[in-house]
Amino acid sequence: MGLRICPSVLNTDLSNLAAEVERVSRSADFVHLDVMDNHFVPNLTFGLPVVAALMQHCTVPADCHLMIEDPDRWAPGYAEAGAASVTFHVEAAARPAQICRDLRSHGARAGVAVNPGTDVRVLDDLVGELDMILVMTVEPGFGGQAFLEEALPKIAHARALADRAGGDVWVQVDGGVDERTIERCAGAGADVFVAGSAVYGASDPAAMVERLRSLATEARPT
Ligand code: DX5
Ligand code: ZN
């Protein structure tokens, strides 16, 4: 089973998103796009028109992370726009199973995120509908925050749940993932890693993606 590294463009030059994606295109598996609505989280980034425009200029598959209210209404549009993976927050969803079905029917992988304060067990009955569990390792809303160590047991729990479901359910971590924390995440069972500051703060972002992949690969449970 492969590992995937997803650079987040949250803290880059947002006036030049296509060029920022290009900087990691030789090594990134997905580009992670943080959609925030200033309601679900206290920050506002970009929405569907910007993501749809970027899809026309982007050679890297898009992993959209929707930190928004009412994903029931908005999430399928990101799949229709061409995102390879669309993740919404379980805390914000009225009918999460239906959203997953809508995403998959548009050809996207369906991801469900849990905030640091949300128990992974809320996904017990949903896991058969989804393709990825996102365990937030910071409070969502901003890049550059410190990794929350208490998320590590949740990663292991998510891994166990994903494995019980069979199929090919990925476990993603997002927030404070860098050269110091990625090995613990991989050791706990994560296989998809979002990294914003660690990648784009490096002198060679594409090389940092490779570095993170090799650290995670070494630390995987055997
Ligand atoms: C935070 C976002 C993250 C963020 C990660 O709410 O979901 O994707 O960009 O940034 P770093 O890697 O800097 O913590
Ligand atoms: Zn994110």
Side-chain angles (χ1 to χ4, degrees):
M1 195 169 55
L3 290 177
R4 294 157 192 93
I5 309 291
C6 314
S8 163
V9 293
L10 180 60
N11 283 352
T12 66
D13 177 3
L14 297 180
S15 73
N16 212 350
L17 267 179
E20 294 289 8
V21 174
E22 191 52 37
R23 292 171 73 196
V24 296
S25 62
R26 78 172 154 85
S27 54
D29 298 285
F30 292 87
V31 58
H32 183 85
L33 302 174
D34 287 305
V35 175
M36 304 186 190
D37 67 352
N38 212 22
H39 290 275
F40 183 71
V41 288
N43 196 3
L44 183 64
T45 55
F46 43 77
L48 183 54
V50 172
V51 170
L54 183 62
M55 293 298 89
Q56 307 306 310
H57 298 278
C58 190
T59 54
V60 185
D63 168 40
C64 292
H65 176 193
L66 307 183
M67 287 160 276
I68 60 172
E69 290 185 352
D70 203 3
D72 303 68
R73 175 174 176 189
W74 299 110
Y78 291 84
E80 282 181 74
S85 177
V86 179
T87 297
F88 62 91
H89 274 260
V90 69
E91 301 88 356
R95 299 170 67 209
Q98 185 59 50
I99 303 176
C100 290
R101 287 175 206 149
D102 289 345
L103 293 172
R104 285 171 152 186
S105 75
H106 292 300
R109 291 180 66 88
V112 182
V114 287
N115 276 340
T118 302
D119 198 310
V120 176
R121 274 176 290 192
V122 301
L123 304 181
D124 278 356
D125 294 335
L126 191 63
V127 72
E129 306 277 358
L130 51 81
D131 300 296
M132 185 167 79
I133 300 169
L134 165 50
V135 177
M136 289 304 300
T137 44
V138 297
E139 290 294 341
F142 299 92
Q145 302 183 75
F147 181 82
L148 295 172
E149 299 289 333
E150 55 268 34
L152 286 167
K154 284 179 69 178
I155 298 167
H157 189 155
R159 176 82 270 154
L161 180 61
D163 289 349
R164 271 206 308 281
D168 187 22
V169 180
W170 300 348
V171 175
Q172 184 177 52
V173 285
D174 182 10
V177 176
D178 60 19
E179 287 176 283
R180 286 161 297 141
T181 57
I182 195 167
E183 291 164 298
R184 272 170 286 158
C185 294
D191 55 4
V192 188
F193 306 85
V194 178
S197 321
V199 168
Y200 280 100
S203 55
D204 182 343
M208 179 54 75
V209 170
E210 299 289 18
R211 164 97 180 124
L212 292 171
R213 184 182 287 108
S214 96
L215 286 169
T217 302
E218 287 294 312
R220 300 198 80 176
T222 46

